[in-house]
Amino acid sequence: MATAQLTASSISSRNVSSFEGLRPSAVQFPSVVRIGTLTQRSFRGLVVKAATVVAPKYTAIRPLGDRVLVKIKEAEEKTDGGILLPSTAQTKPQGGEVVAVGEGKSFGKSKIEISVQTGAQVVYSKYAGTEVEFNGAKHLILKDDDIVGILETEEIKDLKPLNDRVLIQVAQAEDKTAGGLLLTEATKEKPSIGTVIAVGPGPLDEEGNRKPLSVNPGNTVLYSKYAGNDFKGKDGSDYIALRVSDIMAVLS
Protein backbone atom coordinates (compact mmCIF):
# COMPACT_ATOMS: atom_id res chain seq x y z
CA MET A 1 0.00 0.00 0.00
CA ALA A 2 1.36 3.41 -0.86
CA THR A 3 1.89 5.75 2.05
CA ALA A 4 -1.03 8.15 2.43
CA GLN A 5 -0.39 11.79 3.33
CA LEU A 6 -2.66 14.30 4.99
CA THR A 7 -2.53 17.88 3.78
CA ALA A 8 -4.49 20.86 4.97
CA SER A 9 -6.33 20.99 1.67
CA SER A 10 -7.21 17.29 1.85
CA ILE A 11 -9.48 17.77 4.87
CA SER A 12 -12.89 18.47 3.41
CA SER A 13 -15.86 19.94 5.16
CA ARG A 14 -17.84 16.73 4.91
CA ASN A 15 -19.05 15.41 8.21
CA VAL A 16 -17.48 12.41 9.85
CA SER A 17 -19.96 9.56 10.33
CA SER A 18 -22.25 10.30 13.23
CA PHE A 19 -21.40 7.02 14.98
CA GLU A 20 -24.88 7.09 16.47
CA GLY A 21 -25.27 4.26 18.94
CA LEU A 22 -21.52 4.15 19.52
CA ARG A 23 -21.69 5.40 23.07
CA PRO A 24 -19.36 4.00 25.71
CA SER A 25 -21.01 2.97 28.93
CA ALA A 26 -21.17 5.98 31.22
CA VAL A 27 -19.07 5.94 34.37
CA GLN A 28 -20.12 8.47 37.01
CA PHE A 29 -17.68 10.17 39.33
CA PRO A 30 -18.32 12.54 42.22
CA SER A 31 -18.68 16.12 41.06
CA VAL A 32 -16.56 17.43 43.94
CA VAL A 33 -13.22 16.00 45.01
CA ARG A 34 -11.83 17.28 48.31
CA ILE A 35 -8.05 17.35 48.25
CA GLY A 36 -7.44 18.65 51.76
CA THR A 37 -3.86 19.48 52.73
CA LEU A 38 -2.04 17.53 50.02
CA THR A 39 1.15 19.26 48.89
CA GLN A 40 2.29 19.74 45.31
CA ARG A 41 4.82 16.98 45.86
CA SER A 42 1.91 14.53 46.33
CA PHE A 43 0.98 14.99 42.66
CA ARG A 44 4.40 14.21 41.21
CA GLY A 45 3.06 11.09 39.50
CA LEU A 46 -0.11 12.78 38.20
CA VAL A 47 0.20 13.61 34.50
CA VAL A 48 -2.49 15.55 32.63
CA LYS A 49 -2.29 14.90 28.89
CA ALA A 50 -3.32 17.71 26.54
CA ALA A 51 -3.46 17.72 22.77
CA THR A 52 -0.29 18.83 20.98
CA VAL A 53 -1.13 21.82 18.79
CA VAL A 54 0.46 21.72 15.33
CA ALA A 55 1.34 25.24 14.18
CA PRO A 56 -0.38 26.54 10.99
CA LYS A 57 2.98 26.70 9.18
CA TYR A 58 2.88 22.88 8.98
CA THR A 59 0.51 21.75 6.26
CA ALA A 60 0.88 17.98 6.41
CA ILE A 61 1.14 15.12 8.89
CA ARG A 62 2.57 11.86 7.55
CA PRO A 63 2.40 8.90 9.95
CA LEU A 64 5.42 6.59 9.97
CA GLY A 65 5.67 2.82 10.21
CA ASP A 66 2.54 1.13 11.53
CA ARG A 67 0.95 4.36 12.75
CA VAL A 68 -2.38 5.80 11.66
CA LEU A 69 -3.79 9.34 11.82
CA VAL A 70 -7.47 9.49 12.79
CA LYS A 71 -9.71 12.56 12.82
CA ILE A 72 -11.67 12.24 16.06
CA LYS A 73 -15.43 12.45 15.87
CA GLU A 74 -17.00 15.19 17.97
CA ALA A 75 -18.42 14.29 21.38
CA GLU A 76 -22.18 14.03 21.73
CA GLU A 77 -23.63 17.36 22.89
CA LYS A 78 -27.17 16.12 23.49
CA THR A 79 -28.88 13.06 24.91
CA ASP A 80 -31.31 11.00 22.82
CA GLY A 81 -34.07 13.11 24.34
CA GLY A 82 -32.48 16.34 23.15
CA ILE A 83 -31.14 17.50 26.53
CA LEU A 84 -27.92 19.53 26.25
CA LEU A 85 -24.98 17.98 28.07
CA PRO A 86 -22.32 20.02 29.88
CA SER A 87 -18.77 19.38 28.67
CA THR A 88 -18.01 17.36 31.82
CA ALA A 89 -20.87 14.94 31.06
CA GLN A 90 -20.11 14.38 27.39
CA THR A 91 -18.79 10.90 26.64
CA LYS A 92 -15.27 10.69 25.25
CA PRO A 93 -15.40 9.59 21.59
CA GLN A 94 -13.85 6.26 20.67
CA GLY A 95 -14.19 6.60 16.92
CA GLY A 96 -13.23 8.70 13.93
CA GLU A 97 -12.14 8.76 10.31
CA VAL A 98 -8.76 7.55 9.06
CA VAL A 99 -7.12 10.43 7.18
CA ALA A 100 -3.55 9.12 6.74
CA VAL A 101 -1.63 5.87 7.23
CA GLY A 102 2.01 4.85 7.49
CA GLU A 103 3.90 2.53 5.20
CA GLY A 104 3.31 -0.57 7.32
CA LYS A 105 5.28 -2.84 9.62
CA SER A 106 8.32 -4.89 8.60
CA PHE A 107 8.74 -8.60 9.42
CA GLY A 108 12.17 -9.65 8.22
CA LYS A 109 12.26 -9.03 4.48
CA SER A 110 8.51 -8.71 4.16
CA LYS A 111 6.30 -5.74 5.01
CA ILE A 112 2.73 -5.96 6.29
CA GLU A 113 0.41 -3.21 5.12
CA ILE A 114 -1.76 -1.19 7.50
CA SER A 115 -5.08 -2.95 8.09
CA VAL A 116 -7.17 0.18 7.40
CA GLN A 117 -7.35 2.63 4.52
CA THR A 118 -7.94 6.36 4.39
CA GLY A 119 -11.62 7.23 4.63
CA ALA A 120 -12.48 4.26 6.86
CA GLN A 121 -14.59 4.89 9.96
CA VAL A 122 -12.89 3.13 12.86
CA VAL A 123 -13.23 2.45 16.57
CA TYR A 124 -10.07 2.55 18.68
CA SER A 125 -8.95 1.67 22.20
CA LYS A 126 -10.01 4.10 24.93
CA TYR A 127 -6.58 5.33 26.01
CA ALA A 128 -4.53 4.77 22.87
CA GLY A 129 -2.40 7.17 20.90
CA THR A 130 -1.30 10.78 21.05
CA GLU A 131 -3.84 13.55 20.53
CA VAL A 132 -2.89 16.42 18.22
CA GLU A 133 -4.80 19.48 17.09
CA PHE A 134 -4.26 20.14 13.38
CA ASN A 135 -6.04 22.53 11.03
CA GLY A 136 -8.61 23.35 13.71
CA ALA A 137 -9.64 19.74 14.38
CA LYS A 138 -8.60 17.11 16.92
CA HIS A 139 -6.73 14.07 15.61
CA LEU A 140 -5.18 10.98 17.13
CA ILE A 141 -1.92 9.32 16.07
CA LEU A 142 -2.02 5.68 17.13
CA LYS A 143 -0.65 2.29 16.16
CA ASP A 144 -2.52 0.02 13.77
CA ASP A 145 -2.86 -2.52 16.60
CA ASP A 146 -4.74 0.04 18.71
CA ILE A 147 -7.61 0.12 16.20
CA VAL A 148 -10.39 -2.15 17.46
CA GLY A 149 -12.34 -2.43 14.21
CA ILE A 150 -13.92 -0.85 11.15
CA LEU A 151 -17.47 0.47 11.36
CA GLU A 152 -19.11 0.22 7.94
CA THR A 153 -22.58 1.25 9.23
CA GLU A 154 -23.84 3.20 12.23
CA GLU A 155 -24.73 -0.04 14.03
CA ILE A 156 -22.09 -1.23 16.49
CA LYS A 157 -23.24 -4.81 15.92
CA ASP A 158 -21.86 -4.47 12.35
CA LEU A 159 -18.36 -3.68 13.62
CA LYS A 160 -15.64 -5.56 11.73
CA PRO A 161 -12.99 -6.47 14.34
CA LEU A 162 -9.31 -6.24 13.40
CA ASN A 163 -6.28 -8.31 14.41
CA ASP A 164 -7.00 -10.21 17.68
CA ARG A 165 -10.19 -8.34 18.58
CA VAL A 166 -13.57 -9.97 19.25
CA LEU A 167 -17.02 -8.34 19.29
CA ILE A 168 -19.37 -9.76 21.94
CA GLN A 169 -23.04 -9.13 22.67
CA VAL A 170 -23.26 -8.96 26.45
CA ALA A 171 -25.77 -11.21 28.20
CA GLN A 172 -28.58 -9.42 30.03
CA ALA A 173 -28.07 -8.81 33.72
CA GLU A 174 -30.17 -10.81 36.14
CA ASP A 175 -33.32 -8.99 37.35
CA LYS A 176 -33.64 -11.03 40.54
CA THR A 177 -31.42 -12.51 43.18
CA ALA A 178 -31.31 -16.28 43.79
CA GLY A 179 -33.85 -15.65 46.55
CA GLY A 180 -36.27 -13.91 44.19
CA LEU A 181 -35.63 -10.31 45.22
CA LEU A 182 -35.95 -7.74 42.43
CA LEU A 183 -32.76 -5.83 41.65
CA THR A 184 -32.60 -2.15 40.71
CA GLU A 185 -30.44 -0.95 37.84
CA ALA A 186 -27.87 0.30 40.33
CA THR A 187 -27.56 -3.07 42.08
CA LYS A 188 -27.47 -5.30 39.03
CA GLU A 189 -24.08 -6.92 38.62
CA LYS A 190 -22.35 -6.26 35.32
CA PRO A 191 -22.31 -9.53 33.34
CA SER A 192 -19.02 -10.96 32.09
CA ILE A 193 -20.70 -13.50 29.80
CA GLY A 194 -21.79 -12.94 26.23
CA THR A 195 -22.14 -14.27 22.70
CA VAL A 196 -19.41 -13.78 20.11
CA ILE A 197 -20.78 -11.74 17.18
CA ALA A 198 -17.64 -11.31 15.06
CA VAL A 199 -13.91 -12.05 15.27
CA GLY A 200 -10.81 -10.49 13.71
CA PRO A 201 -8.41 -12.28 11.32
CA GLY A 202 -6.00 -12.99 14.17
CA PRO A 203 -2.69 -11.55 15.39
CA LEU A 204 0.56 -11.63 13.40
CA ASP A 205 3.29 -14.07 14.36
CA GLU A 206 7.03 -13.36 14.10
CA GLU A 207 7.01 -14.18 10.38
CA GLY A 208 4.08 -11.92 9.60
CA ASN A 209 1.47 -14.69 9.25
CA ARG A 210 -1.99 -14.51 10.77
CA LYS A 211 -2.79 -16.86 13.64
CA PRO A 212 -6.51 -17.76 13.72
CA LEU A 213 -8.39 -17.00 16.92
CA SER A 214 -9.55 -19.69 19.34
CA VAL A 215 -13.20 -18.54 19.39
CA ASN A 216 -15.85 -18.35 16.68
CA PRO A 217 -19.07 -16.39 16.10
CA GLY A 218 -21.89 -17.98 18.09
CA ASN A 219 -19.69 -19.11 20.99
CA THR A 220 -20.85 -18.18 24.48
CA VAL A 221 -17.81 -16.96 26.37
CA LEU A 222 -16.67 -15.82 29.80
CA TYR A 223 -14.43 -12.75 29.68
CA SER A 224 -12.51 -10.49 32.03
CA LYS A 225 -14.89 -8.05 33.72
CA TYR A 226 -12.87 -4.87 33.20
CA ALA A 227 -11.51 -5.48 29.70
CA GLY A 228 -12.30 -3.90 26.35
CA ASN A 229 -14.53 -1.10 25.05
CA ASP A 230 -18.22 -1.02 26.06
CA PHE A 231 -20.92 0.18 23.66
CA LYS A 232 -24.69 0.55 23.59
CA GLY A 233 -26.35 -0.58 20.36
CA LYS A 234 -29.34 1.04 18.68
CA ASP A 235 -31.31 -2.07 19.58
CA GLY A 236 -30.69 -1.37 23.27
CA SER A 237 -28.26 -4.28 23.64
CA ASP A 238 -24.85 -3.92 25.27
CA TYR A 239 -21.74 -4.86 23.31
CA ILE A 240 -18.08 -5.14 24.16
CA ALA A 241 -15.02 -5.29 21.90
CA LEU A 242 -11.93 -6.84 23.46
CA ARG A 243 -8.78 -8.84 22.73
CA VAL A 244 -9.12 -12.60 22.53
CA SER A 245 -6.60 -12.87 25.40
CA ASP A 246 -9.25 -11.28 27.65
CA ILE A 247 -11.60 -14.23 27.02
CA MET A 248 -11.13 -16.80 29.78
CA ALA A 249 -13.36 -19.69 28.68
CA VAL A 250 -15.94 -20.96 26.18
CA LEU A 251 -19.20 -22.09 27.80
CA SER A 252 -21.33 -24.95 26.55
Side-chain angles (χ1 to χ4, degrees), residues 176-182:
K176 295 181 180 180
T177 65
L181 296 177
L182 288 174

Side-chain angles (χ1 to χ4, degrees), residues 54-180:
V54 179
K57 67 178 181 180
Y58 299 107
T59 59
I61 297 179
R62 179 171 62 89
L64 299 178
D66 62 344
R67 287 178 171 79
V68 178
L69 181 66
V70 175
K71 184 178 180 181
I72 302 174
K73 87 175 191 76
E74 295 182 1
E76 297 289 346
E77 296 182 353
K78 293 183 179 181
T79 65
D80 290 340
I83 300 174
L84 286 172
L85 293 171
S87 58
T88 53
Q90 293 174 12
T91 54
K92 181 181 178 181
Q94 297 177 43
E97 179 182 1
V98 176
V99 291
V101 299
E103 65 272 16
K105 190 174 183 178
S106 296
F107 286 87
K109 296 182 179 180
S110 61
K111 179 168 286 187
I112 304 298
E113 296 181 345
I114 299 294
S115 55
V116 294
Q117 299 180 353
T118 56
Q121 305 293 333
V122 298
V123 178
Y124 47 81
S125 297
K126 295 177 186 177
Y127 309 109
T130 299
E131 191 172 307
V132 296
E133 188 170 325
F134 176 70
N135 201 32
K138 290 185 177 180
H139 294 74
L140 196 67
I141 299 177
L142 68 167
K143 290 190 174 184
D144 181 47
D145 186 57
D146 290 324
I147 297 178
V148 174
I150 299 173
L151 196 62
E152 298 177 342
T153 72
E154 293 185 353
E155 286 277 9
I156 187 61
K157 66 180 181 180
D158 296 328
L159 180 75
K160 178 183 177 183
L162 297 177
N163 299 312
D164 62 342
R165 298 311 205 289
V166 177
L167 178 65
I168 295 172
Q169 182 175 7
V170 180
Q172 292 186 350
E174 294 292 337
D175 293 325
K176 295 181 180 180
T177 65

Side-chain angles (χ1 to χ4, degrees), residues 7-18:
T7 62
S9 61
S10 68
I11 300 178
S12 63
S13 60
R14 62 194 176 93
N15 294 327
V16 178
S17 178
S18 66

